[in-house]
Amino acid sequence: MFTTSHFLWMGITVLVILITSFLLARFRCPTRPLLTGCLFLCVISELIKTFSNTVETGLFTNVSGPVKFLPVSCLPLQLCSLQIFFLFYQYFSKNEQRKADLNGFMCMCMAVGAPFAILLPNSSVSFSSPVAYQFFLFHAMLIVYAIHQIRTGSVTYSLRNLKIDLVLLLVLGIVSIWINSIFTAMGAPTDFLYTMCPPADNLPYLNLNQGWEMYVVKLTVLAMVLMLLYHMPFLLKNRGRDDVRTASVRR
């Protein structure tokens, strides 16, 4: 973490985000083609991650050749990886209300979560590793999608959306504890959504110095604060519009 390669990757990622966002705005790209491109990149990303992380196992004794499997820690169950399933839902679902509600949650996770993932990567940062390209470019794509949706007004936020995002994040957090506990009990410890331990050791705020229970409380508080900070500009903007409308009616 915070090596020369890491800083280079952060710079490249920011550059990719800026250039791609500029081009999407310049050519006024609609959401549908953007979704198609994102889904294509998601498939390529998961293929690279899968074939780069497989390991051999000797558990299959009925065959003579080597058999490989993907460690459970590489499953797409981190918050950013879950956006892959949500993007597919956005593409194929016909329920416009649910798509709009989910899109708001997705953009919040992408705009807030992806930068933290880039800052604290859980993959290799070596330029000789395909996983590094997959990791940073995938998270760049998530941020680009969020910027596009916010810029074009494809996502709207109200107190209702804040409540939806709060419930969805809490549900995912609880489920992640269950999944992590199941895999850990099976001898394959995972840390999806970082509900078991921090993404890095010796962090100033997120740490296990006061025990796991206190760590979960601090993680929850941090998530709530970041969520409120993300929603606040939209809520204030909506309130300003309501005040203008009220003033116009009174006149």
Side-chain angles (χ1 to χ4, degrees):
M1 186 175 65
F2 300 129
T3 62
T4 302
S5 296
H6 184 197
F7 280 115
L8 286 173
W9 270 119
M10 286 194 288
I12 293 171
T13 304
V14 170
L15 190 62
V16 169
I17 292 170
L18 292 176
I19 293 175
T20 307
S21 296
F22 171 79
L23 292 175
L24 290 175
R26 175 68 177 80
F27 295 101
R28 299 179 180 179
C29 178
T31 295
R32 191 69 176 182
L34 177 61
L35 265 177
T36 303
C38 286
L39 290 179
F40 175 77
L41 291 176
C42 284
V43 172
I44 298 299
S45 172
E46 283 305 304
L47 286 174
I48 293 174
K49 187 172 75 172
T50 297
F51 288 103
S52 297
N53 287 288
T54 52
V55 294
E56 290 189 8
T57 175
L59 295 177
F60 294 86
T61 57
N62 58 321
V63 292
S64 57
V67 175
K68 291 188 174 184
F69 75 103
L70 184 69
V72 292
S73 59
C74 297
L75 294 176
L77 296 178
Q78 289 286 15
L79 186 59
C80 288
S81 297
L82 290 174
Q83 306 309 312
I84 297 173
F85 304 105
F86 298 156
L87 286 168
F88 271 98
Y89 183 86
Q90 290 292 327
Y91 191 87
F92 292 105
S93 174
K94 303 298 181 182
N95 191 317
E96 296 301 326
Q97 184 61 59
R98 290 182 182 175
K99 285 171 61 177
D101 291 340
L102 181 61
N103 202 34
F105 177 72
M106 290 167 57
C107 289
M108 181 196 70
C109 294
M110 293 173 176
V112 178
F116 276 99
I118 293 170
L119 187 64
L120 298 170
N122 60 357
S123 75
S124 170
V125 295
S126 171
F127 282 91
S128 62
S129 172
V131 177
Y133 294 85
Q134 173 269 326
F135 180 88
F136 287 98
L137 295 181
F138 171 76
H139 287 88
M141 179 204 72
L142 296 183
I143 297 174
V144 167
Y145 178 87
I147 292 174
H148 176 274
Q149 294 297 282
I150 295 170
R151 182 186 59 79
T152 58
S154 300
V155 288
T156 56
Y157 292 100
S158 63
L159 286 175
R160 174 179 174 275
N161 296 108
L162 177 59
K163 294 176 183 176
I164 291 174
D165 291 354
L166 175 61
V167 171
L168 286 175
L169 196 59
L170 285 175
V171 169
L172 288 177
I174 293 172
V175 172
S176 73
I177 294 177
W178 296 345
I179 293 175
N180 289 330
S181 299
I182 292 172
F183 285 140
T184 300
M186 295 170 60
T190 57
D191 192 23
F192 299 124
L193 273 67
Y194 300 112
T195 51
M196 300 302 283
C197 60
D201 200 12
N202 298 320
L203 293 178
Y205 175 72
L206 287 179
N207 52 64
L208 295 169
N209 295 345
Q210 297 169 296
W212 177 78
E213 291 81 5
M214 193 62 196
Y215 164 74
V216 172
V217 171
K218 291 191 290 185
L219 181 64
T220 304
V221 171
L222 177 62
M224 297 304 110
V225 170
L226 291 174
M227 183 184 300
L228 288 173
L229 289 175
Y230 175 83
H231 277 267
M232 193 61 66
F234 300 99
L235 297 178
L236 292 176
K237 186 177 181 180
N238 292 339
R239 183 176 180 179
R241 288 177 179 175
D242 293 339
D243 291 342
V244 170
R245 291 173 184 173
T246 302
S248 300
V249 170
R250 288 177 179 176
R251 290 177 185 173

